[in-house]
Amino acid sequence: MESSGSKNCLEIWTEENAKLVAELKNISTNTAKWTDILRQNFVYFIKLLEKIQGLPPTVPSIPLELTVLYNAIVLNISLSDVVCNDDSLLLKGFTRGLEAYGKHFDDRGIVKLWEMTFRSISDPTFIQTIDQLIYLQCLLWLSRNQLEDVEIVLHMLRERSSSVSDVNIQHDDLWQCIKTGNLLKDSSESHLLLVQSLSTLGKLMYTCATFLRGFRKVEQGHYLEAIDILQPAAEGLCSKRILAEIYTLIGYSSVQLGRPQTGLQYFRWALQADIQCFPALYHAAMVYRQLEMVEAELEALNHLSVLLESWDQSKDANHVEPQILIQPEQLVRIPSTSHLLTSVNQVYVKHSLARRCLQMGRTEEAAEHYLDLLALFFEGSQKEIFLVADSTVPRIPEIYLEAAVALLQCQRYHDVITICEEISCKMSTLLSEKLTYEIIVNEWLPKDCLERTEIDMVCQSSHSDHLNQSQTHCATKKETLNYILWMATAFLYQAQAFSLLGNNKESLTNFSRCVNLLLKVQVVGPSDSGEPNNQIDTLKENIMEIKYLQKLKSLGFVGKGMQLTERGQDREALQNFHLSLQACSDSMEAAYNLVQVLWKLKRKDEAASFWQKYYRSTKAAAEKVQQESGSQKFSLFMISHLKEVSASEEEAVSKMVHAHYTHHSKAKSTTEFLRPMSYL
């Protein structure tokens, strides 16, 4: 840059800074090469800063140096996808400013340095440039969710403003003062020297800080407070994405307060603000589910799935307004663990849609969605985008099994066999020869807490040095149990598919594979627990993994017995029905088939006695449990596709047994009547 000989370095540098600022402000943000222009000007500001910092700091030069530093940092934030956590540039500029005034402090804490500066330096020009850096530091803290640090500094500025202007700014008005610019005001020359005015940064800070404050209240469950905080934030300096997320949070809070219709209205406003606000659409679908509006729920999930498939983040224009260099979403970082605004990808939404269709009995739609989902797994094309995360999403083998359930219900048996074969092949290489589990019975555990008891493996170590190794071994064994349960379920569904295809041989083979695999798992009580066997049995009934294991055994034995019955191997079938009842005593299918086989074998008294006993005890208990729990807590894929016993079949057996007892009683009465009397 050329300069007149009559101008000193400070004047030249001031003109150079002003020229760079003017060039940026005269270029539209819609310019195709806007990012390249920003990057080029950032380089120019850095070079200018290096020239200034090449000389010792002086009182006349330090305001310009800190102004150039401010402009460079603003452009750096604007160009960054993730705001840098390095505050070294700010700290260096600040310490050079103190050196210019001959001040040196041992304490390097930046807040402490600011406090001491305000007490010892009264130069208004220097204080104005320091204020610029304070606002920048607050923005950097906001990007790290350090809201407390921001509030400390702002309170410090409030106290300083009150002491200087003799105006007492109340605590409750603090954030509003930032929004309106009453806390820090732009100087008369700031529009010539700064690429972004302090008033704009103040509005940006207000929006982001208020957003984070409201978000925290939502996470803490303080929904009314969250709404009160977030509603004014919607009137601040918002990009369309941040505005949509504010509406989403207000809508979610309204739903939690029992106002679903209000929540839906805010979700609509969120989508009007930003059609790509996927969390709003997802939460709306969940509200429709809560209101049992099935068609609306599925429509929302379908629309969400379509949007995700076509979504391109690179084309998502999201500017607040022209000449706003820093976007609010650059400063607002929602933790990835939050379920409110961050979430899964397309796979999650597609699974939610498929699962819901399956639950509602729309099996054809469910099957197609599941096949699309499996195709995504094969392609590996899962877009990492923000949506609502949910810990209830099952693991991939379970999704495969859910797909098998949907296909079974659609009578697509060959597809079921293919999917289950994929599961069994993957799991077969991961299984051990034998797996033994030990249930640790804590003497202090109250009986009403039995359902919370978890499986504990024989992994205890006598030396503390081996504790980590023991815990790893426990986790490995528990994971192996998952492999066995998944693989056994796959065999079960393959067997059912072959049975429905009329292939008795393959069906029997797969039912046998299912039960043989499950018999590898042995559940035992600790040898030194001193607990009676009935206590161990009670624990087994209240541990979900074991209930799942026993249910699978029962279904496997019933299925095998039914195939043996078709072959005419009634005695072998009878044995399998007994084993099924040992595994799951309330199995109606096992009880029904057992009675039928006993009747066929002319063991009618035994059949009638069993049926009556079954009704007096097991069935009554099963109905009571069903009334208390509503529905089984088994996974969605744990649905039997064996021939279910209908109410009419159940009633027919009861009538048959009753008729048998009636006939037997009459025959016995006749025999007694005809028997000769003995005389003394």
Side-chain angles (χ1 to χ4, degrees), residues 177-189:
C177 288
I178 296 168
K179 178 184 178 182
T180 57
N182 291 333
L183 196 60
L184 288 183
K185 297 183 180 295
D186 291 304
S187 65
S188 58
E189 297 180 351

Side-chain angles (χ1 to χ4, degrees), residues 10 13-14 17 45-46 48-73 89-100 125-126 129-130 132-133 136 193-194:
L10 183 58
W13 294 335
T14 301
N17 176 76
F45 277 117
I46 289 295
L48 177 58
L49 182 63
E50 289 174 350
K51 286 191 287 186
I52 298 173
Q53 291 183 341
L55 297 175
T58 62
V59 171
S61 67
I62 201 62
L64 176 63
E65 179 180 335
L66 298 186
T67 297
V68 174
L69 174 61
Y70 170 93
N71 291 334
I73 293 176
L89 280 177
L90 276 172
L91 189 57
K92 180 180 178 181
F94 186 71
T95 53
R96 279 178 59 86
L98 295 179
E99 289 175 15
T125 305
F126 177 68
T129 54
I130 287 295
Q132 295 168 186
L133 300 188
L136 276 184
L193 299 176
L194 303 179

Side-chain angles (χ1 to χ4, degrees), residues 500-571:
L500 293 167
L501 286 170
N503 191 333
N504 177 269
K505 180 181 177 181
E506 286 296 329
S507 179
L508 183 59
T509 298
N510 281 280
F511 277 125
S512 298
R513 286 176 179 172
C514 173
V515 295
N516 291 339
L517 182 60
L518 293 172
L519 289 173
K520 289 172 118 182
V521 183
Q522 297 180 14
V523 184
V524 297
S527 58
D528 59 346
S529 67
E531 296 290 340
N533 290 333
N534 59 350
Q535 174 104 8
I536 302 299
D537 292 339
T538 303
L539 281 169
K540 288 181 183 180
E541 292 174 2
N542 286 280
I543 298 174
M544 183 49 64
E545 290 91 343
I546 304 305
K547 290 173 71 176
Y548 183 17
L549 176 70
Q550 297 301 99
K551 181 67 173 178
L552 276 177
K553 279 184 185 178
S554 178
L555 292 174
F557 280 123
V558 170
K560 185 177 179 182
M562 292 172 69
Q563 297 306 308
L564 290 169
T565 301
E566 288 185 11
R567 288 169 164 249
Q569 298 174 248
D570 295 328
R571 296 189 181 278

Side-chain angles (χ1 to χ4, degrees), residues 356-413:
R356 191 60 175 151
C357 287
L358 181 58
Q359 289 173 330
M360 300 307 300
R362 302 170 71 150
T363 54
E364 292 290 343
E365 294 177 56
E368 292 304 321
H369 288 309
Y370 274 115
L371 290 177
D372 291 343
L373 186 56
L374 299 187
L376 288 176
F377 290 146
F378 282 117
E379 295 170 4
S381 59
Q382 303 180 25
K383 299 178 182 178
E384 295 298 330
I385 62 174
F386 287 86
L387 240 193
V388 181
D390 194 332
S391 60
T392 62
V393 177
R395 296 171 66 179
I396 289 180
E398 295 181 1
I399 294 177
Y400 270 72
L401 292 172
E402 288 178 11
V405 169
L407 292 166
L408 268 173
Q409 294 184 358
C410 293
Q411 301 180 7
R412 298 172 64 169
Y413 305 128

